Amino acid sequence: MGAVTSVPFQDDMHVVIVGGGYGGAYLTTLLRNKNFCKVTVIDPKDSMIHCVAALRACVQKGYAKKVFVPLKEIAGDSFVRGKAAKIDHENKTVILESGVKITYTHLVIATGTVSPFPGKIVSTHPNVSIEEGIKVYDDFVDEIAKSNHVVCVGGGPVGVELAGEIKTEFPTHEVTLIQSKNYLGSEKLKTDVKEAIVTGLEELGVKIMFGEHVQNMNELSLNKSMQGQVVKTESGKGIVADLVISCVGNRTNTDFCKDVFGSSLTDSGQLQVDEFFQVKGQEGVYAIGDVTNIVEEKLCYVAKYHAEYLTENWIADASDSKRKPYVPGDFMMLVPLGRNGGTGQVKGFTLGNVMVKYLKSKDLFSSKVWGDVGLKPPKT
């Protein structure tokens, strides 16, 4: 995380970070550890949510303890729990729903994306507490356990990994994965990696339906065990399920700043940033993580890189040194298929079961993510 910088503490600098996810929490940690400036991180939850581990929390009771990383332990007095309702950039103030006003010299938007539960719990519990979140996932384990046929809609990383987790923990369950595209995971994956995902899931017993669009999602009771539900596709197929889980529908969480930064937003709600993460047309405003329009895979380690670059460039500015522009790195993705293996791609190389289990499947980066913010993950 870096030692204390030789640059003096910046008395006239107050960095306010809206969003305590991977990028926001790590940026807070870096700035505090380097004793660089005053920092405040704002989030309506009391934790940084380690979403990568959330899918295993769906099938193993108690695993959710590793999902929720306490922001108070990460940030101490620098953490303010609340929801940013409005930005008054003319007066450099963040206004919370409670009416509390927090002034800044530098503003960082790190609010990420929202997607359906169970991939991200904030879609159903935006102000979730650690205790509540653990119970929500533990209760969901029960819903899966009593469902003999589970349908996962969406074949991106969330759908793939969830299907693998369910079949690993409940091998007698029928699991169907419905994917509108003709591949699983990511379009950027090499052909042999895409094929390995399909092979791995089929070996677990997952049934995969490619090129199918579900047409009656709004009529289904999602995430609740209910016998006799019929998932209907546009091609006319009907799949009877006890449990239907949506794994599609990411949206960028920038609604709160549309009024003031609307000219800097793309049509999809991402903030346009330059190579130094400054929001275009907005002096003193930065964005990191999933909310940016940088063309790269939106993954947790990428948000961490953003935080590192932003910190080092502020230190460079303070020491009259040259800033380093951010350039997206090589595409990498590890896809666990349950806790015993998976496949992936790193710098163009294909990884198999043994390596993916060692790197990710075993603990889903929990030790790394908690360690990056100076904490140890709880035992489950």
Side-chain angles (χ1 to χ4, degrees), residues 58-88:
C58 296
V59 298
Q60 291 184 17
K61 284 199 174 185
Y63 203 87
K65 294 177 184 177
K66 295 188 177 182
V67 173
F68 300 95
V69 190
L71 279 167
K72 191 66 176 179
E73 292 186 31
I74 294 172
D77 293 339
S78 296
F79 171 52
V80 174
R81 188 173 182 183
K83 183 177 180 180
K86 183 179 179 182
I87 306 294
D88 179 358

Side-chain angles (χ1 to χ4, degrees), residues 21-189:
Y22 290 112
Y26 191 59
L27 178 60
T28 302
T29 301
L30 288 173
L31 294 173
R32 281 168 54 84
N33 284 357
K34 292 177 180 294
N35 194 35
F36 179 66
C37 67
K38 181 180 178 182
V39 58
T40 299
V41 58
I42 303 167
D43 199 287
K45 309 178 302 299
D46 62 355
S47 65
M48 180 195 87
I49 297 183
H50 177 30
C51 301
V52 176
L55 302 181
R56 188 154 301 164
C58 296
V59 298
Q60 291 184 17
K61 284 199 174 185
Y63 203 87
K65 294 177 184 177
K66 295 188 177 182
V67 173
F68 300 95
V69 190
L71 279 167
K72 191 66 176 179
E73 292 186 31
I74 294 172
D77 293 339
S78 296
F79 171 52
V80 174
R81 188 173 182 183
K83 183 177 180 180
K86 183 179 179 182
I87 306 294
D88 179 358
H89 190 45
E90 183 177 353
N91 294 302
K92 295 191 173 182
T93 303
V94 178
I95 304 169
L96 307 187
E97 278 189 344
S98 63
V100 171
K101 298 180 179 180
I102 301 172
T103 59
Y104 59 84
T105 60
H106 296 63
L107 177 65
V108 180
I109 308 298
T111 43
T113 54
V114 177
S115 57
F117 177 84
K120 291 189 176 179
I121 192 173
V122 294
S123 62
T124 53
H125 298 76
N127 307 323
V128 68
S129 68
I130 294 172
E131 292 77 13
E132 180 186 17
I134 291 172
K135 185 178 186 305
V136 168
Y137 277 106
D138 281 354
D139 288 347
F140 193 56
V141 175
D142 293 333
E143 297 299 316
I144 292 177
K146 62 187 178 184
S147 302
N148 292 321
H149 189 179
V150 180
V151 171
C152 299
V153 181
V158 172
V160 167
E161 293 183 30
L162 182 58
E165 292 288 343
I166 294 172
K167 281 298 288 185
T168 300
E169 192 68 26
F170 303 100
T172 61
H173 279 21
E174 292 182 43
V175 177
T176 301
L177 180 61
I178 300 177
Q179 166 67 321
S180 60
K181 301 179 177 64
N182 62 358
Y183 62 85
L184 297 177
S186 169
E187 186 177 16
K188 296 179 182 178
L189 290 167

Side-chain angles (χ1 to χ4, degrees), residues 193 333-334 342-346 349-353 355-356 359:
V193 179
M333 180 176 283
L334 302 179
T343 186
Q345 178 177 323
V346 176
F349 293 96
T350 301
L351 303 183
N353 277 321
M355 187 59 70
V356 173
L359 292 174

Side-chain angles (χ1 to χ4, degrees), residues 56 63 165 334-343 353 355-365:
R56 188 154 301 164
Y63 203 87
E165 292 288 343
L334 302 179
V335 185
L337 301 176
R339 60 182 176 273
N340 298 315
T343 186
N353 277 321
M355 187 59 70
V356 173
K357 179 178 180 179
Y358 172 76
L359 292 174
K360 183 177 180 181
S361 302
K362 190 174 181 180
D363 87 334
L364 300 174
F365 299 145

